[in-house]
């Protein structure tokens, strides 16, 4: 089998309401922006993948990468990973392209990717991953609604200047949902986006103070309390507290995670297959984590295709416990998040996400919608 052609779009799917991500303070999102790449093979099988876009930053890239894709056997994943490693050298962090190869491999073999790479589970417990900073009363009301919708776990952002405001949100939600619902908190300190609005910068002492309080609130994990390569700080914090420490959503490739794992930084690593090296790298990182008794719960906050790709990995590996389900209405909804798919990915009645079981990534792209909201760049 050979790849014979490719097409690509830069899409801006409008959101129903503006969304205010806590990790980019001062810059509301009005659209779910994505680059979508489709590879065609000589056997009539297509593979698709998507990466996050902001403006037109991916414009020239599809043409550049097409040279390396056309004529290639889509099963030669290891070889192509090295092409993407080279792309990073010249400024394109394009690991997501590898996912399209797995979509093809799955379709060619008639299996969803997760069954080809381990077949560990058919569904995974979802946590509603909220994204905005909201006052304690509002968040408590939101949380009750999420539980009514079926969620058994909720992630909150703690990113106020004042620690007391952060803790007040977690306390209010704990009181509102009781002890049976899991609460995760994300400080988004690993990578800071500067230039739009103010944001807090945590240090080890603040992280320790917060972790001690979160212990009392029975929090399932504290995510990204420190910078992404503060190995010493993270390892010290992890030894200091009983709250599991998680992170790694924007670290990438094997050597980066080798350091995080070997230095004892995290209880839970969160590489996202679209950012961290692709699906095969995710499978390798899962094994590295497994050997160190570390959980691997991928970050998924990109879009529906990215969520689908990470779900396939979650289904493949033994050490995954939770699926990040990005959801914070009215701005960030399944319909907006998965706008490029024919159907949004949803949770079942018990708060789990079923791993899409059709061949490949298991989801279908709505090409009419992609063309309607996208600019063709290849
Ligand atoms: Mg996060």
């Amino acid at each position: 089998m050979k790849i014979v052609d490719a097409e690509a779009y830069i899409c801006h799917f409008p959101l129903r309401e503006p969304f205010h991500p806590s990790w980019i303070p001062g810059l509301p999102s009005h659209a779910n922006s994505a680059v979508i790449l489709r590879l065609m093979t000589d056997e009539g099988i297509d593979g698709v993948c998507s990466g996050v876009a902001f403006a037109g930053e991916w414009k020239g890239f599809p043409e550049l990468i097409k040279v390396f894709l056309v004529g290639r056997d889509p099963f030669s994943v290891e070889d192509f990973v090295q092409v993407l490693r080279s792309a990073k050298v010249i400024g394109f962090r394009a690991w997501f392209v590898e996912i399209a190869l797995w979509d093809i491999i799955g379709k060619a073999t008639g299996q969803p990717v997760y069954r080809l790479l381990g077949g560990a589970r058919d569904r995974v417990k979802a946590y509603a991953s909220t994204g905005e900073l909201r006052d304690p009363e509002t968040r408590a009301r939101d949380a009750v609604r999420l539980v009514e919708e079926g969620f058994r776990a909720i992630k909150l952002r703690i990113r106020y200047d004042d620690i007391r405001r952060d803790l007040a949100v977690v306390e209010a939600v704990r009181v509102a949902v009781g002890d049976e619902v899991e609460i995760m908190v994300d400080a988004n300190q690993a990578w800071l986006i500067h230039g739009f609005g103010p944001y807090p910068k945590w240090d080890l002492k603040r992280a320790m103070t917060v972790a001690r309080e979160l212990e009392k609130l029975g929090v399932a994990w504290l995510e990204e309390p420190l910078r992404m390569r503060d190995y010493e700080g993270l390892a010290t914090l992890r030894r200091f507290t009983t709250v599991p420490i998680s992170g790694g959503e924007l670290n990438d490739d094997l050597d980066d995670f080798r350091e995080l794992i070997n230095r004892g930084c995290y209880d839970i690593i969160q590489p996202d297959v679209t950012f961290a090296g692709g699906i095969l790298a995710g499978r390798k990182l899962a094994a590295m984590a497994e050997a160190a008794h570390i959980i691997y719960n991928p970050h998924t906050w990109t879009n529906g295709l990215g969520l689908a790709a990470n779900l396939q990995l979650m289904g493949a590996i033994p050490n995954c416990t939770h699926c990040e389900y990005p959801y914070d209405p009215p701005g960030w909804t399944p319909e907006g998040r998965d706008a490029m798919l024919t159907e949004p990915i949803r949770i079942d009645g018990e708060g789990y996400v079923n791993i899409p079981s059709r061949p490949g990534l298991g989801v279908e792209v709505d090409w009419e919608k992609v063309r309607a909201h996208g600019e063709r760049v290849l």
Side-chain angles (χ1 to χ4, degrees):
M1 185 185 283
K2 277 196 171 20
I3 297 166
V4 290
D5 203 1
E7 66 175 314
Y9 297 83
I10 293 174
C11 301
H12 302 285
F13 301 101
L15 301 178
R16 200 172 68 192
E17 297 280 343
F19 172 65
H20 302 82
S22 63
W23 52 91
I24 317 181
L27 187 69
S29 306
H30 297 273
N32 174 3
S33 297
V35 55
I36 295 176
L37 178 68
R38 177 186 180 206
L39 308 182
M40 292 83 119
T41 66
D42 56 354
E43 295 185 20
I45 293 172
D46 289 3
V48 68
C49 62
S50 173
V52 170
F54 289 93
E57 72 271 24
W58 287 107
K59 254 179 198 166
F61 180 74
E63 202 178 325
L64 180 68
I65 199 71
K66 186 180 168 182
V67 176
F68 295 94
L69 284 162
V70 169
R72 187 173 295 271
D73 175 354
F75 282 72
S76 307
V77 180
E78 287 286 11
D79 193 35
F80 187 63
V81 165
Q82 295 185 60
V83 172
L84 293 174
R85 206 166 269 145
S86 312
K88 205 183 145 190
V89 175
I90 58 163
F92 292 101
R93 186 165 158 155
W95 298 116
F96 66 87
V97 177
E98 186 252 18
I99 292 164
L101 303 183
W102 284 105
D103 196 24
I104 293 171
I105 293 167
K107 287 169 181 167
T109 55
Q111 293 290 338
V113 175
Y114 80 98
R115 283 175 49 86
L116 296 174
L117 293 180
R121 63 180 58 76
D122 297 319
R123 63 174 199 162
V124 57
K125 186 176 183 179
Y127 67 88
S129 184
T130 64
E132 294 188 346
L133 287 183
R134 295 183 192 165
D135 63 70
E137 298 71 35
T138 310
R139 256 313 162 218
R141 270 199 306 276
D142 294 344
V144 169
R145 183 179 38 76
L146 289 169
V147 172
E148 283 166 5
E149 288 177 28
F151 289 97
R152 308 300 300 151
I154 300 167
K155 189 164 86 185
L156 306 168
R157 306 287 158 172
I158 50 168
R159 228 167 179 259
Y160 285 112
D161 271 336
D162 187 338
I163 292 180
R164 287 168 301 184
R165 287 189 80 187
D166 282 341
L167 293 172
V169 175
V170 187
E171 280 162 10
V173 170
R174 176 54 83 208
V175 169
V177 300
D179 290 337
E180 297 304 306
V181 175
E182 290 180 286
I183 299 175
M184 298 82 170
V185 299
D186 193 343
N188 284 112
Q189 290 293 312
W191 44 278
L192 302 169
I193 296 191
H194 185 84
F196 302 101
Y199 53 89
K201 270 191 192 167
W202 288 27
D203 58 14
L204 178 58
K205 296 294 184 188
R206 176 163 175 167
M208 285 174 155
T209 305
V210 172
R212 275 283 190 259
E213 295 302 317
L214 297 179
E215 286 175 9
K216 298 175 201 160
L217 292 164
V219 161
W221 73 66
L222 167 58
E223 185 166 328
E224 292 196 332
L226 295 169
R227 248 53 93 222
M228 63 197 283
R229 291 188 185 85
D230 183 1
Y231 306 112
E232 287 282 322
L234 287 163
T236 303
L237 177 66
R238 186 186 177 205
R239 281 193 297 268
F240 170 81
T241 179
T242 57
V243 173
I245 305 299
S246 74
E249 64 189 48
L250 278 191
N251 292 89
D252 76 333
D253 220 344
L254 303 181
D255 46 2
D256 212 357
F257 283 97
R258 179 195 63 212
E259 293 307 306
L260 290 167
I261 291 169
N262 289 355
R263 297 195 196 196
C265 297
Y266 290 127
D267 298 280
I268 301 161
I269 58 165
Q270 300 172 298
D272 181 320
V273 298
T274 71
F275 293 138
I279 289 177
L280 185 58
R283 191 64 192 84
K284 294 177 184 180
L285 294 173
M288 288 161 64
E290 185 186 3
H293 308 288
I294 290 171
I295 300 292
Y296 179 178
N297 291 336
H299 169 272
T300 72
W301 200 306
T302 56
N303 59 51
L305 268 172
L307 173 59
N310 280 293
L311 270 169
Q312 291 297 326
L313 183 72
M314 291 180 221
I317 64 177
N319 46 341
C320 173
T321 60
H322 292 79
C323 168
E324 178 175 37
Y325 189 86
Y327 183 41
D328 207 5
W332 202 256
T333 61
E335 292 76 17
R337 180 194 67 202
D338 303 347
M340 69 289 295
L341 304 182
T342 53
E343 249 180 279
I345 296 165
R346 300 202 185 271
I347 59 165
D348 67 15
E350 292 169 315
Y352 283 68
V353 182
N354 290 287
I355 315 289
S357 58
R358 283 172 290 177
L361 298 181
V363 292
E364 213 178 306
V365 170
D366 185 339
W367 290 106
E368 236 172 76
K369 225 159 147 198
V370 167
R371 289 185 190 105
H373 297 286
E375 177 193 351
R376 187 162 181 182
V377 292
L378 182 66

